[in-house]
Amino acid sequence: METIYLIGFMGAGKTTVGKILADLLGYSFYDLDEYIEKTAAQSIPEIFAEKGEAHFRLLEARALRSLPVRQAVVATGGGTAAGRGNLPYMLEKGLVVHLAGDFSRMYARAAGDGRERPLIAAKSREECFRLYQSRLPFYRKAHFSVDTTDRSPAEIARTILERLKERENGKTFPEKAERKDEREYE
Ligand code: S3P
């Protein structure tokens, strides 16, 4: 099967879910941020600090295109889908799945899971919310969307697997996405 790209905001659980899904499918797993860090031999915060976000976006676009387009699960970064040309690329080459969730919970996770995120560090919560809103139109172009609210990573991975099986049995995408992410900012 073609590669499955997980998209969604920081803290949506793309990496955790992606690893489980790859295991279930017997596919290789790639975390795009980790791949960028390895190839650049620098951490994401270092790249942002030394070369700026525009340079990071260039590395991100290149990294995305150098990963396999079959038999893989790719956890993208929160901004990958909004990068120029990235979403059309993923939609054409693979299957794009949006991990949708409640902004407050994703933000809390992104701010507190121990991973350094330069955009979270540099922005207020309100600025992050605006960033999230600006990205929703991109996330919503995914082939399908899975609501992550109150679901464990394993449950989310299983839901994706079921949707993939439905697809193999002839159901076509895109279908109407679950729109739980339209909740108001609390
Ligand atoms: C970013 C999200 C991060 C990482 C970088 C920028 C973004 O990935 O790519 O810090 O622009 O939303 P995660 O979504 O895995 O945190």
Side-chain angles (χ1 to χ4, degrees):
M1 203 196 323
E2 62 264 56
T3 287
I4 295 138
Y5 297 97
L6 301 182
I7 67 170
F9 199 61
M10 292 177 271
K14 302 178 291 285
T15 302
T16 315
V17 171
K19 279 183 188 159
I20 300 171
L21 182 63
D23 271 356
L24 292 173
L25 287 163
Y27 285 4
S28 314
F29 172 73
Y30 298 89
D31 179 82
L32 195 61
D33 286 339
E34 229 174 72
Y35 185 82
I36 295 166
E37 290 183 326
K38 261 192 219 147
T39 47
Q42 268 192 318
S43 71
I44 306 269
E46 279 166 357
I47 299 169
F48 267 74
E50 286 178 24
K51 296 177 182 133
E53 183 172 347
H55 183 73
F56 171 75
R57 297 299 170 200
L58 192 72
L59 298 182
E60 183 180 47
R62 274 191 205 145
L64 181 69
R65 285 158 182 78
S66 54
L67 294 178
V69 292
R70 296 197 68 78
Q71 316 269 93
V73 176
V74 176
T76 66
T80 310
R84 202 186 297 169
N86 292 347
L87 188 61
Y89 173 83
M90 293 188 280
L91 287 168
E92 191 206 317
K93 299 285 181 194
L95 250 168
V96 183
V97 180
H98 173 208
L99 298 194
D102 167 62
F103 170 76
S104 299
R105 292 198 211 186
M106 290 190 285
Y107 177 78
R109 205 177 306 131
D113 71 357
R115 271 175 73 171
E116 273 188 71
R117 291 180 172 88
L119 293 181
I120 296 278
K123 292 180 192 298
S124 69
R125 182 189 154 106
E126 279 205 42
E127 285 169 329
C128 285
F129 182 64
R130 281 198 288 276
L131 181 67
Y132 162 72
Q133 282 183 310
S134 74
R135 286 173 173 174
L136 278 178
F138 295 94
Y139 298 155
R140 286 186 178 143
K141 291 203 174 86
H143 288 111
F144 66 89
S145 178
V146 173
D147 180 20
T148 63
T149 315
D150 295 326
R151 290 188 194 165
S152 71
E155 282 172 321
I156 299 162
R158 276 198 301 273
T159 303
I160 297 173
L161 198 64
E162 277 163 26
R163 306 284 284 272
L164 296 175
K165 280 189 194 145
E166 284 172 10
R167 174 177 169 270
E168 275 182 351
N169 296 333
K171 195 168 175 187
T172 52
F173 297 118
E175 62 184 43
K176 212 166 185 279
E178 292 176 48
R179 288 282 155 80
K180 284 274 158 74
D181 49 15
E182 264 165 351
R183 283 173 207 186
E184 299 235 329
Y185 175 47
E186 295 150 26

